[in-house]
Amino acid sequence: MARSVWKGPFVDGYLLGKAEASRASGRNEIIKIWSRRSTILPQFVGLVFGVYNGHKFLPVQVNENMVGHKFGEFSPTRTFSSHSSDKKAKRG
Amino acid sequence: MPDERILMGVVGRPHGVRGLVHVHSYTAEPADLPTYGALLDDSGRRWTLVWRGDGVAEMRDEQGRPLPDRNAAEKLVNTRLSVERSRLPKTEDDEYYLADLVGLAVMSAEGATLGRVTAVHDYGAGASLEIAGEGQPILLPFTRACVPSVDITAGRVIAVLPEEVVVATDAPTTAAGPDQHPA
């Protein structure tokens, strides 16, 4: 069942404070979080989070397309590796 | 690194009795495998590949002859197909092949060695470099702030390790983190 709209998106409170502190500092920082259940809000765009997957903190660079998704969607909990072949990585 | 070979796929089980084989393509778009032209196996033989179905291909040798029957196809099972690194198209600015990044030395801005890139991950939220050095591996976001310089020819990247945001009031009290309720 979908979450009621009147409640608004769920976000653990401490994330808002950390995001605000990171944005205010303007330094090269990573925000380590355990809250995989929190929704990605528009004010998180441009920040880099380290989302815990039960083993390590995977870097998540938030962009506009990720707003509305949960942090946990971008930090898989199971090992996955693929061959590099012609795959490319773009520097963000 | 023009002579380096990049693994692009592996021949799987035979398909039918007419010499077709399943091919596991490792390219970003699996159907793009034939666009790289001749594929080299480990012994240096050149093969061209023509898709004949979903994941099923006809393999042709250097003379353009297809495999005649299933027996010939069975001999190719587990053959690794690769191309020379120089055949991959040029990348855009700030874009790098994963195969080029893996193995690069990682240096700090002061010149100290931090380790070596062992893997590049991308789970839909930007790429990150896994760096193996002393102690636990480091996962570093592949951003300009964290990786200001990438020099493929010199075989090194410059890394600036990010600081961790700490807010005094929300320090986790347990190893599980602040958002976990006690059992």
Side-chain angles (χ1 to χ4, degrees):
Chain A
M1 187 183 218
R3 179 180 168 88
S4 297
V5 174
W6 64 266
K7 293 180 184 175
F10 173 80
V11 185
D12 269 310
Y14 78 98
L15 291 194
L16 299 168
K18 280 194 167 186
E20 203 172 307
S22 174
R23 197 175 286 285
S25 75
R27 290 179 299 183
N28 176 24
E29 291 182 325
I30 190 163
I31 305 166
K32 286 191 174 178
I33 62 170
W34 289 260
S35 178
R36 301 168 55 82
R37 60 185 180 174
S38 291
T39 309
I40 297 175
L41 301 181
Q43 56 261 45
F44 297 158
V45 171
L47 301 177
V48 180
F49 290 82
V51 182
Y52 196 58
N53 71 351
H55 179 53
K56 50 196 170 187
F57 293 91
L58 296 186
V60 171
Q61 303 167 38
V62 178
N63 61 42
E64 293 91 349
N65 297 330
M66 294 157 66
V67 171
H69 290 262
K70 308 286 186 185
F71 277 106
E73 294 179 56
F74 303 99
S75 180
T77 56
R78 287 156 203 254
T79 306
F80 172 77
S81 62
S82 63
H83 293 276
S84 51
S85 61
D86 65 344
K87 297 181 185 79
K88 300 170 198 164
K90 193 159 181 71
R91 190 160 51 157
Chain B
M1 50 192 94
D3 295 321
E4 189 183 334
R5 288 185 187 178
I6 310 288
L7 180 65
M8 304 297 267
V10 172
V11 178
R13 66 188 190 278
H15 177 82
V17 294
R18 296 182 181 171
L20 300 182
V21 288
H22 286 265
V23 174
H24 304 290
S25 173
Y26 295 151
T27 53
E29 281 296 323
D32 288 349
L33 185 56
T35 62
Y36 291 102
L39 302 165
L40 298 164
D41 66 15
D42 288 341
S43 61
R45 286 183 298 174
R46 291 178 177 271
W47 298 91
T48 49
L49 181 147
V50 181
W51 291 117
R52 293 294 184 211
D54 188 18
V56 175
E58 180 181 280
M59 303 287 293
R60 295 180 179 167
D61 64 11
E62 289 170 75
Q63 285 78 39
R65 294 173 303 198
L67 298 176
D69 54 24
R70 187 179 178 93
N71 291 337
E74 281 174 348
K75 289 179 184 162
L76 278 189
V77 173
N78 291 334
T79 298
R80 294 151 50 92
L81 303 170
S82 48
V83 297
E84 289 109 352
R85 167 65 185 83
S86 56
R87 300 254 301 278
L88 297 181
K90 284 193 185 303
T91 55
E92 296 172 12
D93 287 346
D94 266 347
E95 199 174 52
Y96 303 91
Y97 284 110
L98 305 195
D100 289 343
L101 292 173
V102 173
L104 296 183
V106 182
M107 318 286 285
S108 69
E110 293 78 30
T113 303
L114 297 176
R116 198 162 280 279
V117 178
T118 53
V120 183
H121 304 292
D122 191 347
Y123 300 117
S128 56
L129 307 181
E130 185 170 333
I131 299 165
E134 291 176 14
Q136 291 287 318
I138 302 167
L139 281 168
L140 191 67
F142 192 42
T143 59
R144 287 172 190 272
C146 293
V147 188
S149 166
V150 179
D151 192 343
I152 303 285
T153 50
R156 68 162 184 256
V157 297
I158 306 292
V160 178
L161 300 183
E163 297 169 37
E164 185 185 344
V165 175
V166 177
V167 177
T169 54
D170 65 9
T173 52
T174 65
D179 59 323
Q180 303 294 313
H181 299 292

